[in-house]
Amino acid sequence: MRLIITLLLLCFLSTAFGQFKTAKWGRLFKEDVEYTTCEFEPEAKAVILFHVGKYNFIGSSNQIHTNIYKRIKLLTDDAEEYANIVIPIYTKDDTERISGLHAQTLVVDPNGKLQKYTLDKKDIYYTKLNENITLVKFTFPQAQKGAILEYKYRVRDKNIVMPDPWYFQSEKMPTEFSHIKFTYPDYLGYKIKTQGHRLSLKYMGKNNINAWELEKIPSMKDVDFLFCEDDYRLQLSIQLNSYRTNQGYDKEFGNNWNQIAKSTRLADAFYSYNRKGKYKKIVEEIVQDDDSEQVKVSKLYAYVTTHFKWDEKYDLYPSQSLSELLVSKKGSSAELNALMKGLCEVAGLQAEWVANSTRTHGMIFEHIPMFDAFNNLLASVVVDGKQWYIDTTHPKLPWNLPHQNLLTTKTFAFERSGSFWGEVATDERSMVNMYFQMDYTGEEPTCKAKISYQGYDAYDKRKELLKEKEALEEEEDEDEDEEEDEEEDEEDATEDEDDEEFMLQGFEVVNAELSDLENVNEDVTLSLEWKADPLTEETGNIYLEAVAPTIFKDNPFTQEQRLFPIEFDSPWHFNYVMTVKIPKGYRIADQPKGTAARLPANVGKVVYVANENAGILTVRMKVDINNTYMHQDFYPNLKQFFDLLLDYSNKKIVMEKVDI
Amino acid sequence: MNYIQRGLLTLVGVFSLITHSMADSGDKPQYAVSKIDPELKKGKYSVVRVDEMELDVITPTKALFKTHYVITIFNKKAEDLAEHAFTYDNETVLSFAEARVYDQNGDLLDRIKAKDMKDEGTYRHTSLFDDNRRKVVDLKRTTYPYTVEFVEEKVLHSTMFLPSWVGFSDRKMGVESSIYKVTAPAGVLKYKQNEMAPEPVISKQEGKETYVWKLEQEEGIRKFEKRYPIAEQLPSVTLAANVFAMDGHQGDYTSWKTFGKWIWGLNKGQDVVPEELKYTIHSVTDTLQTSREKAKAVYEFVQQNTHYVNLSLGIGGFKPFSVEQVYRTGYGDCKALTNYTYSLLKEVGVPSVYTLVRAGRDANPIDTTFVASQFNHVILSVPLDKDTVFLECTSQDVPFGFIGGFTDDRDVLFITEEGGELGRTKRYTQEENVWSSKMEVLLDEEGVARSTYWLNATGMMYDNFYFMLGVKEREKQIKFINRLLEVKSMEIGEIEMEEERDVIPTFHLKTDFESRLMVEKSVGRFFITPNQVNALTSTPKKAKNRKNPFYQYNEDIEVDTVVWQLPEGYSLENKPADIQLKCPMGTFEATYNVEGSQLTYTRKLALQKGVYAPELYNEYVEFLRSVKKADREKVTFHKQEEDSPKKDL
């Protein structure tokens, strides 16, 4: 029997010239059949064995024809999701058209015979996702463990300036071999942007090549603490930069950023936003002539953020005119920030439009000008001689603090002549300050705390507290309704409070004052006074937490290995001071030891010190995260760093009763 | 339009008397907020100004549906009402759609026509293919109050589902006027309404019947009661036509029997097993003796050779793919895979029944007295000698005979050649749904804990975990353990997960880990929260004047044991008292036994499924709160230093 199987296998198995570097439609190599586990990603349920794309420029029709061939192997019983294929096609204005789609499943049956299951054309579904995109969907027949799924198709693309990028790295599964070849005539000048460490290593400095390939590429797994996974994904982008004219010279239109701004007619897109008359009435109503520049910008920011709703889209181009925006009262970042720029200008401030790329959209490489580099528009305004980037999409942020997603190093002022690069940054420190005073000397111990949140911490806290407040109001609302019917049950009310799990769960708050949450220009501050509830045992000892309240609840870094850098929202600082007045007849029997630890490259540090002097114990803890980026090599250090913070949150100070 | 109405309208559509005339046609702005009775708008988040729906059922293949909805939104809490989706599909033609927004004076601010609305597939991301589409519009503003208006007209070519009516759809929503007018040939229409809906005014004319449900100057309700279906707390009317059509196929809702016959008719001819497949399936089952063995073998054959895809096309929503098609492609939706299993079982001589069910965890039960399609899923019932086994044919991994919380314990419709017949799926008993865990913790002097954890979960508890059996990525397993346990900063070692595949299956987990943060510590003392394995973290609020009964959905037992071994020389300083709680909905007990430097904590929570009287609600909340409080209790150990005298200042 074994002999027969071997013979049968020989009938259809070809010899591979290089493992997975070649594939023939409907034919299997020995390596394909014997492949059971992806050695560089052993837990993978499926693997791309072969992924090849050929981009050909067709001169007669001025189109790019892309031929794609992909071969997947299912490695486990529960890998059927990998048999569902979705191909998005940009069908608006017939820009792209798909043809020649074939798919088949290749299975070696128990008798060693190769079975082919061909996808029926009627099992291919075309779904219009939106006005631009049509999804071509199908599911491979007989998709089971060990099956090899292969499909090929051609896309005719009228967009010869930026054909679809080539992703060597799949989001879903590892890839054994990926290859892209691009053929185009001499009279066109294409620029190639390769992205990712491995591509750079292999192809940096190599010119005049038109084919790129990589082997053994791990999948992009779910990654936390990254704004844009695509920044680290192995990929290749193609862009037409120039063409040769009939006169024989090369006409450039995408070779530098100014050419890109000109070619894309970015400034023209905002034509309707230049009509100053539209802004005049609004500005006259809001701004006084004798207002300072800062007051003016603050008022106009408040006007835009309270009267207009952001549609949660970042955009570089407006899709509605200024008149339409003034009616719909809702717009994209491009529209709202263009409005802000227009209002500022009419109010006498120097203002201009600048483009940037949000952090979720990805980094900009200054030396590789690309048409799709930008996705967002900001207003750049000079206030009292200083230039600010203003974004009106997040009303709970003050005007001088752009959202964390916008903190990018590259902005481009496209109306100016000559490149201009700026950085969206902020002077505001994001910081949490906590001052605790614990006094155990009186009959009833008293505890006071002053807590303030600055910068993005104020923003985050403001949102959180407003949400809580809203929920609380809702409940109070319901309770009020009930009170109309029935008198309030005191016991119930107390228990409900216990359920709020506010900042000081389990403590009886005597007094609490909170700053005005609606005023986005102010820090969020909280003053609290509560009755101490230390764990006092029969021994008379007093225990209190060394770092209270517990702000470090758990270590967010649970991955064992990290393949990508770690990105933080913004630099962050935490400053904690607690003074404890020690009652007479007590002494500090135990407290955590002082410590100081630093993260590599000065990314962060923590200091904890405690001193006892004249019956007062003073505890200080200071944590600084100075950078928003950390290399993956330092991931273990980061885990340890957070463990250390947690460790301090878990330690107690013990005041012991002593004989006098 | 509100979310409930939106949901209901996706079922169908039609039109009749409402005209296109919009609000600003009169002398004075019709929708000025000042026109609302001050008493009506007091304390409201929104007020429905106009809600007119008209349905005219002309024939089983044609009905006209028209809606005109105007609502004033007073604050952010009601802003979702400014969004609307105009739905349509191959059987529903959206002939007119328009949306408008007015300021508080009733002056028109903006108008969106159908051609300017975003058009998208309703289930575009989850379905391989379906024909449900929608035009969406979002009229939210930042300044309140404002008023939105939605008008639509539809022609329905299917009358299998008729639009339902909800008098108002949210709490703190007042109603100036809400009307549903339905006209149909005499004897065709039937309806059911809940207690909150007004009785209809019925009139007859020229062989037609007209029903009108109407609410005016309605105060609405102030709050929804928890653990009771929201739909039951709103005035609602559900309709059905005794004779209906779907994709040209005429159906009959006069009895479960006739409706079942219609379904049977759709399936007819789809059960032909290709010769090759006959040979294969016989080779799998012919050596087996009993029907149970054969059924299990066929089920596992289907699991291994097919997979589920979400696919529905017109009547495809009801008519399954043929056996031949599933055999050829290796995939299908619930109907196709159930029909496939049914046909293979028939081929090997085991009778089974195609079974319609309303699936979903905690789904509202169907109303068995109202004959209409209230189902959204199909499973297979296999009557065997001693019991009936239910098979979930869309799953590639659940054990034979296990259906889990998606379809358990509910009324279903069995489809046979004779027609439909009501039945019920298996209810998993409290003793079958058991969570049993144990953790052994070894603490060293530094407070570092080395622990081993075992979990066995059976029945419905298995249902919560079995998805993890297919997860092989270690990072995902670690995330799962981190979510499962209440332990901080775990360094996880071995993770073993396996199952016992049975009609009542069991999930087994074993893991070990180290943590420096399981206990709070000071010199000579450990502060231990014994329950770091299974703590109740949230509880509902007490209600003062509960009107509706409430559901306790779970029926299970949780047993946890944690053994804490402290370093030598440590002894108990303080521990909570053992606790026992009891109420009609469940029981709870926690014990703390200390022997030398070892603490054994046990916890047992048993819940009883049921619908309970409103008077019991506060007792239930109190019970849960006491459990939550007990789960947070702490135990203190200290080191005995017999020879160390207390130090002087």
Side-chain angles (χ1 to χ4, degrees):
Chain A
M1 186 63 186
R2 187 178 292 265
L3 180 68
I4 295 171
I5 291 174
T6 313
L7 286 174
L8 281 166
L9 280 168
L10 285 174
C11 295
F12 65 80
L13 294 182
S14 308
T15 309
F17 294 104
Q19 198 180 7
F20 311 117
K21 281 199 167 189
T22 181
K24 280 184 186 166
W25 184 255
R27 302 284 295 273
L28 290 184
F29 296 121
K30 196 162 165 266
E31 290 83 353
D32 299 327
V33 177
E34 291 175 351
Y35 194 105
T36 53
T37 310
C38 174
E39 61 182 35
F40 56 93
E41 200 169 311
E43 70 275 15
K45 292 179 178 179
V47 61
I48 298 169
L49 294 176
F50 184 77
H51 188 201
V52 168
K54 286 179 183 157
Y55 288 39
N56 293 310
F57 183 86
I58 309 296
S60 56
S61 56
N62 268 346
Q63 294 172 344
I64 289 176
H65 287 189
T66 308
N67 291 291
I68 309 284
Y69 177 16
K70 199 175 205 175
R71 182 175 266 193
I72 296 164
K73 179 153 190 178
L74 305 184
L75 303 173
T76 61
D77 281 327
D78 56 348
E80 64 275 356
E81 64 182 283
Y82 300 94
N84 300 331
I85 306 296
V86 180
I87 305 167
I89 301 290
Y90 196 92
T91 41
K92 192 183 182 188
D93 301 329
D94 195 27
T95 305
E96 288 184 349
R97 189 180 286 182
I98 189 168
S99 62
L101 174 58
H102 296 281
Q104 61 184 4
T105 305
L106 308 175
V107 179
V108 179
D109 71 15
N111 299 320
K113 203 174 161 196
L114 177 65
Q115 301 286 356
K116 292 182 189 175
Y117 302 95
T118 307
L119 179 77
D120 204 315
K121 292 269 184 235
K122 70 177 170 42
D123 293 329
I124 301 171
Y125 300 98
Y126 297 83
T127 304
K128 200 175 166 196
L129 176 68
N130 54 42
E131 59 184 15
N132 299 330
I133 305 219
T134 297
L135 299 178
V136 181
K137 293 185 181 182
F138 62 89
T139 292
F140 275 94
Q142 306 303 335
Q144 49 189 272
K145 182 180 174 181
I148 289 179
L149 323 173
E150 59 177 0
Y151 64 105
K152 57 183 180 182
Y153 60 94
R154 170 184 288 186
V155 175
R156 189 272 289 132
D157 195 348
K158 284 188 194 166
N159 175 9
I160 59 163
V161 178
M162 285 207 85
D164 291 339
W166 181 258
Y167 293 106
F168 291 89
Q169 197 162 20
S170 161
E171 286 171 321
K172 294 167 76 180
M173 49 192 145
T175 304
E176 282 287 351
F177 178 70
S178 178
H179 174 100
I180 161 81
K181 186 176 181 183
F182 182 38
T183 313
Y184 58 95
D186 290 345
Y187 59 86
L188 295 177
Y190 274 95
K191 167 166 53 191
I192 307 295
K193 177 184 149 197
T194 58
Q195 195 174 305
H197 188 59
R198 285 180 59 186
L199 276 172
S200 306
L201 274 182
K202 192 167 176 182
Y203 293 105
M204 195 183 284
K206 291 186 181 174
N207 296 322
N208 299 322
I209 53 168
N210 70 342
W212 300 261
E213 65 181 44
L214 284 179
E215 289 175 73
K216 305 207 178 298
I217 311 145
S219 64
M220 291 290 292
K221 289 187 187 134
D222 295 339
V223 183
D224 301 330
F225 297 99
L226 268 193
F227 274 91
C228 178
E229 286 183 25
D230 247 17
D231 279 344
Y232 302 96
R233 189 170 169 192
L234 291 159
Q235 60 184 286
L236 180 138
S237 306
I238 300 165
Q239 180 179 289
L240 184 65
N241 272 348
S242 64
Y243 59 90
R244 196 163 298 151
T245 63
N246 292 337
Q247 288 74 35
Y249 69 91
D250 289 342
K251 167 90 176 157
E252 287 186 354
F253 61 91
N255 223 13
N256 60 51
W257 293 104
N258 285 324
Q259 284 177 3
I260 281 180
K262 202 175 162 194
S263 308
T264 52
R265 304 184 66 187
L266 205 44
D268 297 349
F270 290 92
Y271 172 76
S272 75
Y273 288 79
N274 276 326
R275 293 169 64 189
K276 293 195 172 149
K278 292 265 179 194
Y279 303 110
K280 214 173 161 194
K281 199 175 154 210
I282 302 169
V283 172
E284 278 171 4
E285 277 177 19
I286 300 168
V287 174
Q288 310 295 317
D289 287 343
D290 54 356
D291 282 344
S292 70
E293 291 195 341
Q294 209 172 107
V295 170
K296 279 182 184 170
V297 77
S298 177
K299 281 181 170 177
L300 293 172
Y301 177 83
Y303 166 76
V304 177
T305 51
T306 51
H307 288 77
F308 292 81
K309 208 168 176 75
W310 179 43
D311 64 9
E312 310 213 343
K313 286 188 200 108
Y314 289 107
D315 213 337
L316 182 57
Y317 293 94
S319 56
Q320 53 183 344
S321 68
L322 176 61
S323 306
E324 286 167 338
L325 174 66
L326 293 174
V327 170
S328 73
K329 301 275 184 193
K330 191 170 86 171
S332 66
S333 63
E335 290 151 0
L336 299 188
N337 293 335
L339 168 69
M340 181 68 191
K341 177 254 183 188
L343 291 169
C344 287
E345 241 176 354
V346 170
L349 297 158
Q350 186 189 328
E352 65 183 335
W353 296 314
V354 294
N356 79 331
S357 168
T358 58
R359 289 165 88 184
T360 44
H361 180 250
M363 297 173 194
I364 291 176
F365 298 89
E366 195 176 332
H367 58 288
I368 316 175
M370 298 295 280
F371 285 111
D372 63 352
F374 303 114
N375 76 321
N376 185 45
L377 183 100
L378 291 165
S380 165
V381 184
V382 178
V383 183
D384 299 330
K386 193 181 167 191
Q387 183 250 329
W388 295 88
Y389 291 108
I390 299 180
D391 170 61
T392 52
T393 59
H394 288 79
K396 290 196 171 55
L397 277 165
W399 67 270
N400 55 358
L401 201 61
H403 190 266
Q404 292 100 316
N405 192 12
L406 302 172
L407 296 180
T408 53
T409 51
K410 310 279 180 230
T411 60
F412 182 71
F414 53 83
E415 271 201 310
R416 289 199 208 165
S417 58
S419 297
F420 163 79
W421 290 98
E423 180 176 352
V424 186
T426 175
D427 297 340
E428 281 278 318
R429 271 168 85 81
S430 287
M431 189 163 193
V432 180
N433 286 300
M434 294 191 169
Y435 301 103
F436 282 71
Q437 289 179 335
M438 324 288 274
D439 186 349
Y440 287 90
T441 55
E443 270 186 23
E444 275 205 344
T446 59
C447 303
K448 288 179 187 170
K450 267 206 161 163
I451 303 168
S452 70
Y453 301 86
Q454 297 170 16
Y456 293 113
D457 283 303
Y459 167 63
D460 291 339
K461 203 72 200 170
R462 191 178 294 127
K463 276 195 305 183
E464 183 192 320
L465 291 175
L466 281 170
K467 212 172 167 186
E468 276 186 33
K469 198 175 146 202
E470 207 172 276
L472 214 60
E473 278 172 2
E474 189 113 326
E475 283 184 17
E476 279 168 5
D477 218 12
E478 287 184 10
D479 291 344
E480 268 171 36
D481 292 337
E482 281 163 4
E483 280 165 35
E484 288 169 19
D485 307 321
E486 204 179 313
E487 275 187 26
E488 193 177 2
D489 181 338
E490 286 296 329
E491 194 189 340
D492 278 0
T494 319
E495 281 174 346
D496 288 347
E497 269 175 28
D498 186 45
D499 257 13
E500 298 310 330
E501 297 194 358
F502 196 53
M503 283 192 60
L504 294 164
Q505 181 198 344
F507 290 86
E508 193 181 335
V509 177
V510 178
N511 191 19
E513 273 176 46
L514 186 62
S515 57
D516 178 10
L517 293 175
E518 301 296 338
N519 186 347
V520 297
N521 296 310
E522 269 189 18
D523 294 343
V524 174
T525 58
L526 181 65
S527 303
L528 285 169
E529 217 180 307
W530 72 96
K531 285 183 193 167
D533 185 22
L535 194 66
T536 307
E537 305 308 334
E538 287 164 6
T539 54
N541 291 351
I542 299 169
Y543 305 102
L544 69 157
E545 273 138 8
V547 182
T550 314
I551 60 155
F552 305 107
K553 287 177 185 148
D554 212 348
N555 193 333
F557 302 102
T558 56
Q559 277 178 291
E560 291 185 333
Q561 268 190 325
R562 179 86 184 177
L563 297 173
F564 305 101
I566 302 101
E567 295 175 350
F568 296 107
D569 281 0
S570 64
W572 183 76
H573 308 277
F574 172 66
N575 192 18
Y576 172 79
V577 180
M578 176 171 73
T579 59
V580 184
K581 278 194 184 172
I582 305 163
K584 275 190 179 171
Y586 278 78
R587 63 174 205 104
I588 301 293
D590 182 35
Q591 58 165 313
K593 286 178 191 157
T595 196
R598 225 174 245 282
L599 279 168
N602 197 30
V603 170
K605 66 174 183 185
V606 54
V607 178
Y608 177 95
V609 285
N611 298 309
E612 190 188 337
N613 192 8
I616 296 176
L617 174 72
T618 306
V619 174
R620 287 193 172 84
M621 190 179 198
K622 199 168 182 301
V623 184
D624 296 295
I625 302 289
N626 301 314
N627 219 326
T628 55
Y629 174 93
M630 194 166 175
H631 193 270
Q632 58 266 35
D633 287 354
F634 299 137
Y635 188 71
N637 308 64
L638 191 65
K639 277 178 89 169
Q640 279 175 16
F641 187 82
F642 273 81
D643 266 352
L644 184 67
L645 299 184
L646 276 169
D647 204 15
Y648 274 89
S649 308
N650 230 27
K651 283 183 172 159
K652 297 255 185 208
I653 292 167
V654 182
M655 288 189 277
E656 192 179 64
K657 204 167 189 180
V658 290
D659 299 328
I660 305 172
Chain B
M1 197 166 297
N2 56 69
Y3 66 93
I4 286 182
Q5 275 174 317
R6 269 207 302 270
L8 294 169
L9 285 179
T10 55
L11 298 177
V12 185
V14 180
F15 108 42
S16 159
L17 298 172
I18 305 157
T19 65
H20 291 187
S21 70
M22 303 284 271
D24 58 346
S25 54
D27 296 339
K28 199 181 169 192
Q30 191 180 344
Y31 300 133
V33 175
S34 59
K35 286 193 161 186
I36 305 172
D37 180 350
E39 280 302 307
L40 186 67
K41 71 180 176 194
K42 196 175 160 190
K44 300 294 190 304
Y45 298 160
S46 63
V47 169
V48 175
R49 315 296 297 276
V50 177
D51 182 1
E52 291 174 349
M53 302 198 336
E54 288 210 24
L55 172 68
D56 189 359
V57 181
I58 299 163
T59 66
T61 55
K62 190 174 183 186
L64 306 173
F65 183 56
K66 219 171 179 184
T67 66
H68 181 201
Y69 190 75
V70 186
I71 186 160
T72 298
I73 295 164
F74 289 101
N75 58 42
K76 200 170 187 304
K77 287 168 189 162
E79 73 169 1
D80 287 349
L81 297 162
E83 288 177 38
H84 184 61
F86 298 91
T87 59
Y88 64 99
D89 55 42
N90 287 349
E91 295 271 283
T92 311
V93 179
L94 182 65
S95 49
F96 182 83
E98 191 165 304
R100 293 183 173 198
V101 56
Y102 303 89
D103 68 10
Q104 64 171 319
N105 300 319
D107 291 329
L108 182 69
L109 294 172
D110 201 3
R111 178 166 87 170
I112 317 279
K113 293 186 170 179
K115 67 177 172 56
D116 299 320
M117 292 174 193
K118 188 177 161 194
D119 188 290
E120 60 188 25
T122 308
Y123 311 110
R124 60 203 178 281
H125 298 301
T126 55
S127 172
L128 178 62
F129 192 82
D130 70 76
D131 60 3
N132 295 291
R133 296 198 67 81
R134 60 188 183 190
K135 288 180 182 291
V136 292
V137 61
D138 178 355
L139 295 175
K140 287 194 204 99
R141 312 294 275 195
T142 52
T143 38
Y144 300 95
Y146 61 91
T147 300
V148 293
E149 179 175 29
F150 304 108
V151 181
E152 70 178 337
E153 289 178 14
K154 289 174 175 179
V155 181
L156 315 183
H157 294 296
S158 164
T159 49
M160 188 168 179
F161 300 99
L162 297 178
S164 303
W165 180 68
V166 183
F168 50 87
S169 62
D170 206 349
R171 69 189 203 91
K172 304 231 169 191
M173 178 186 269
V175 179
E176 286 193 328
S177 169
S178 177
I179 297 172
Y180 191 16
K181 183 175 178 184
V182 184
T183 306
V188 162
L189 203 72
K190 61 183 172 187
Y191 65 91
K192 69 167 185 137
Q193 59 182 79
N194 64 10
E195 282 178 10
M196 294 186 64
E199 285 299 322
V201 176
I202 305 171
S203 56
K204 292 183 183 180
Q205 201 177 7
E206 294 171 4
K208 285 194 168 188
E209 284 171 339
T210 300
Y211 299 75
V212 178
W213 287 268
K214 192 173 184 179
L215 287 178
E216 276 182 327
Q217 298 301 112
E218 168 65 42
E219 270 292 325
I221 57 167
R222 289 190 296 234
K223 65 180 222 170
F224 291 127
E225 295 189 331
K226 305 261 166 45
R227 302 198 181 214
Y228 190 66
I230 285 180
E232 292 302 317
Q233 302 181 50
L234 300 166
S236 72
V237 177
T238 307
L239 302 170
N242 280 318
V243 181
F244 64 88
M246 166 60 86
D247 203 16
H249 293 64
Q250 191 154 314
D252 188 338
Y253 277 148
T254 48
S255 67
W256 288 120
K257 202 173 174 67
T258 57
F259 174 56
K261 259 197 169 154
W262 183 73
I263 295 284
W264 177 266
L266 294 178
N267 293 6
K268 208 172 174 183
Q270 301 300 88
D271 59 350
V272 178
V273 181
E275 286 304 318
E276 192 181 44
L277 181 57
K278 277 184 188 173
Y279 174 79
T280 309
I281 201 66
H282 278 288
S283 69
V284 170
T285 59
D286 280 358
T287 56
L288 302 171
Q289 301 300 314
T290 66
S291 292
R292 179 177 285 271
E293 285 170 344
K294 287 183 180 181
K296 185 167 184 280
V298 168
Y299 182 65
E300 286 169 356
F301 173 84
V302 173
Q303 285 186 308
Q304 284 157 16
N305 291 286
T306 65
H307 70 271
Y308 170 76
V309 293
N310 182 0
L311 187 74
S312 75
L313 281 159
I315 195 72
F318 295 89
K319 187 181 178 76
F321 282 175
S322 67
V323 171
E324 188 278 325
Q325 194 168 354
V326 175
Y327 182 56
R328 179 170 56 78
T329 61
Y331 61 77
D333 61 8
C334 63
K335 300 176 299 297
L337 297 177
T338 303
N339 177 60
Y340 188 69
T341 314
Y342 161 83
S343 307
L344 292 181
L345 282 173
K346 191 169 123 187
E347 175 60 33
V348 301
V350 179
S352 63
V353 185
Y354 189 85
T355 306
L356 305 189
V357 58
R358 179 185 287 179
R361 276 208 167 208
D362 312 331
N364 291 342
I366 62 160
D367 180 351
T368 55
T369 64
F370 188 72
V371 180
S373 179
Q374 300 174 51
F375 311 100
N376 60 5
H377 188 50
V378 182
I379 56 174
L380 194 66
S381 315
V382 189
L384 296 169
D385 287 345
K386 291 178 185 164
D387 57 356
T388 295
V389 169
F390 296 92
L391 301 178
E392 174 55 69
C393 301
T394 60
S395 169
Q396 273 75 65
D397 38 31
V398 296
F400 171 74
F402 182 68
I403 48 174
F406 195 52
T407 52
D408 74 318
D409 192 24
R410 66 198 71 199
D411 293 317
V412 292
L413 190 66
F414 294 131
I415 307 298
T416 66
E417 195 164 5
E418 286 73 44
E421 190 187 328
L422 290 169
R424 205 165 170 88
T425 54
K426 177 176 168 55
R427 174 174 180 170
Y428 292 85
T429 64
Q430 198 180 45
E431 289 70 32
E432 288 169 335
N433 306 325
V434 180
W435 156 300
S436 165
S437 90
K438 186 178 182 189
M439 185 150 83
E440 288 177 359
V441 189
L442 185 65
L443 265 186
D444 71 12
E445 285 277 0
E446 299 300 313
V448 178
R450 289 174 184 82
S451 310
T452 308
Y453 176 75
W454 297 264
L455 170 67
N456 298 319
T458 66
M460 300 300 269
M461 291 294 189
Y462 165 90
D463 203 25
N464 296 331
F465 294 112
Y466 85 93
F467 73 96
M468 276 308 296
L469 292 162
V471 176
K472 303 293 177 217
E473 293 98 321
R474 185 165 162 81
E475 294 293 355
K476 285 186 181 168
Q477 292 179 339
I478 286 174
K479 273 190 183 169
F480 163 71
I481 306 275
N482 269 295
R483 278 198 308 269
L484 181 70
L485 298 175
E486 319 275 329
V487 181
K488 284 182 194 167
S489 201
M490 281 186 276
E491 290 291 332
I492 296 170
E494 292 286 313
I495 303 171
E496 293 169 23
M497 281 185 267
E498 51 192 40
E499 63 177 332
E500 278 170 51
R501 294 175 69 80
D502 207 338
V503 176
I504 308 295
T506 309
F507 169 85
H508 298 287
L509 165 71
K510 184 189 171 194
T511 184
D512 52 58
F513 58 86
E514 203 174 294
S515 167
R516 294 188 298 120
L517 301 174
M518 272 187 96
V519 294
E520 293 175 65
K521 57 189 179 287
S522 73
V523 171
R525 270 187 184 77
F526 286 117
F527 306 88
I528 298 173
T529 306
N531 181 6
Q532 296 186 31
V533 289
N534 187 15
L536 190 64
T537 50
S538 67
T539 56
K541 279 187 67 165
K542 280 191 180 177
K544 297 200 180 69
N545 195 15
R546 176 129 190 152
K547 293 180 185 68
N548 294 302
F550 66 96
Y551 283 79
Q552 161 56 47
Y553 294 106
N554 303 349
E555 181 165 37
D556 47 43
I557 302 174
E558 299 170 4
V559 185
D560 301 281
T561 306
V562 187
V563 181
W564 294 81
Q565 180 61 56
L566 283 91
E568 278 300 311
Y570 279 82
S571 62
L572 180 74
E573 186 171 82
N574 186 40
K575 72 171 176 112
D578 292 351
I579 183 171
Q580 281 194 329
L581 303 166
K582 197 175 177 191
C583 74
M585 289 63 66
T587 58
F588 175 79
E589 57 184 71
T591 63
Y592 307 82
N593 289 313
V594 178
E595 281 182 31
S597 55
Q598 181 174 294
L599 162 70
T600 303
Y601 163 77
T602 65
R603 175 189 192 271
K604 185 176 177 185
L605 175 66
L607 293 173
Q608 194 65 53
K609 183 176 184 170
V611 187
Y612 295 97
E615 304 79 66
L616 289 172
Y617 188 73
N618 284 350
E619 190 181 343
Y620 177 59
V621 174
E622 188 53 49
F623 171 75
L624 294 177
R625 279 184 176 182
S626 303
V627 173
K628 181 180 158 187
K629 191 161 174 268
D631 283 343
R632 293 198 294 228
E633 291 285 7
K634 284 190 179 183
V635 177
T636 319
F637 275 83
H638 67 142
K639 193 170 187 177
Q640 292 290 40
E641 291 181 64
E642 289 166 13
D643 300 329
S644 65
K646 285 190 176 169
K647 292 160 196 152
D648 293 339
L649 263 181

